[in-house]
Amino acid sequence: VAGLPIASSGRHSGCRPTIDADGLLVVGTGDSANGSVAQDLTSLGGKTLRLTLDGDPAPGNPFADAPNPAQRLVQTYGHRNVQGVALRPGTGEVYTAEHGPSTDDEVNLLRSGGNYGWDPSQGGTVGGYDESVPMTDRERFPDAVPAVWSSGRPVEAVSGAAFVSGPQWGTFDGALAVGALRGEKLLLMTLGPDGAVASVGVPAELDATFGRLRAVRAAPDGSLFVTTSNGSDDRVLRIDPR
């Protein structure tokens, strides 16, 4: 899959992949700090994409019949900078962790075809990259999908995400683990019956201990792998709560 937009500075130009319950690839992308990209269905930026492992649009994609080939890959749009993509075990649900501007990092539950409401171009009425707009602008987009968790102020700069499972996690069994760059911590988010985040805990051992935390992945034995992102002496951490 080619054509992901890239900013000359590298800002918001990454992507995060994971395999969903159907064995398909879900990829979260950033908007490349371009104000028009997130709402442009012909751009692969500011989206989650869903595709086969051969790179074709996944069966059942919401825009599968679109004339533009890039749009056929799009699962959701209106994202600012997706940093984590995580499959919730036993449900098929996919959650994303996403950077906000100066407020409102988000965790989102993906809904096929959903608009997540980021539009720094204000419908093309302003130039540049206006980050004063709401992270999920429900005034401009009344049907925008609301976040299941929002940081408010200050932002944590949430990054990688993965679900933890197993009795060794105690009350956090089934929680969503989210790394934080600016916040330099691991957030453990328990979910309510409606799929929204009900509570957030931070293990003391992972609170401002290792610096910026980037990638978060569950290991087959139920432990958690977390990478640091400090620019020097970085490491892979293995977290076992037992």
Side-chain angles (χ1 to χ4, degrees):
V1 175
L4 294 175
I6 297 174
S8 58
S9 66
R11 189 178 184 213
H12 298 185
S13 299
C15 59
R16 185 76 62 179
T18 205
I19 302 293
D20 72 8
D22 296 320
L24 297 162
L25 189 65
V26 177
V27 181
T29 68
D31 66 3
S32 65
N34 183 316
S36 64
V37 160
Q39 294 294 325
D40 180 359
L41 289 171
T42 66
S43 171
L44 297 181
K47 309 293 188 297
T48 66
L49 315 175
R50 192 165 180 256
L51 50 143
T52 69
L53 300 188
D54 293 323
D56 297 320
N61 272 5
F63 307 107
D65 298 326
N68 183 281
Q71 187 173 346
R72 298 172 201 157
L73 297 171
V74 173
Q75 181 181 29
T76 64
Y77 63 105
H79 297 280
R80 181 175 182 269
N81 190 24
V82 178
Q83 288 279 306
V85 182
L87 172 67
R88 188 180 186 186
T91 68
E93 297 172 342
V94 176
Y95 285 73
T96 61
E98 185 171 352
H99 281 179
S102 59
T103 185
D104 294 334
D105 287 340
E106 290 184 348
V107 170
N108 287 299
L109 172 58
L110 296 187
R111 298 180 187 173
S112 183
N115 180 359
Y116 286 75
W118 174 247
D119 183 19
S121 77
Q122 297 187 41
T125 62
V126 301
Y129 192 65
D130 180 7
E131 296 190 84
S132 69
V133 300
M135 184 65 169
T136 301
D137 193 342
R138 301 197 77 192
E139 182 174 337
R140 180 175 292 280
F141 307 108
D143 295 329
V145 182
V148 299
W149 174 84
S150 182
S151 67
R153 294 179 187 269
V155 291
E156 299 280 3
V158 292
S159 195
F163 281 90
V164 298
S165 60
Q168 69 271 29
W169 289 95
T171 59
F172 289 111
D173 185 9
L176 179 64
V178 181
L181 297 167
R182 180 176 178 180
E184 298 188 351
K185 60 174 68 79
L186 185 73
L187 304 162
L188 290 175
M189 303 182 176
T190 58
L191 305 181
D194 60 353
V197 173
S199 65
V200 180
V202 178
E205 297 85 352
L206 294 164
D207 188 0
T209 306
F210 298 100
R212 294 158 55 89
L213 302 183
R214 173 77 67 176
V216 180
R217 290 289 189 184
D221 65 358
S223 60
L224 197 66
F225 289 117
V226 177
T227 67
T228 67
S229 186
N230 298 311
S232 63
D233 193 30
D234 280 312
R235 62 192 74 182
V236 178
L237 310 173
R238 180 178 177 273
I239 314 302
D240 188 337
R242 285 173 289 197

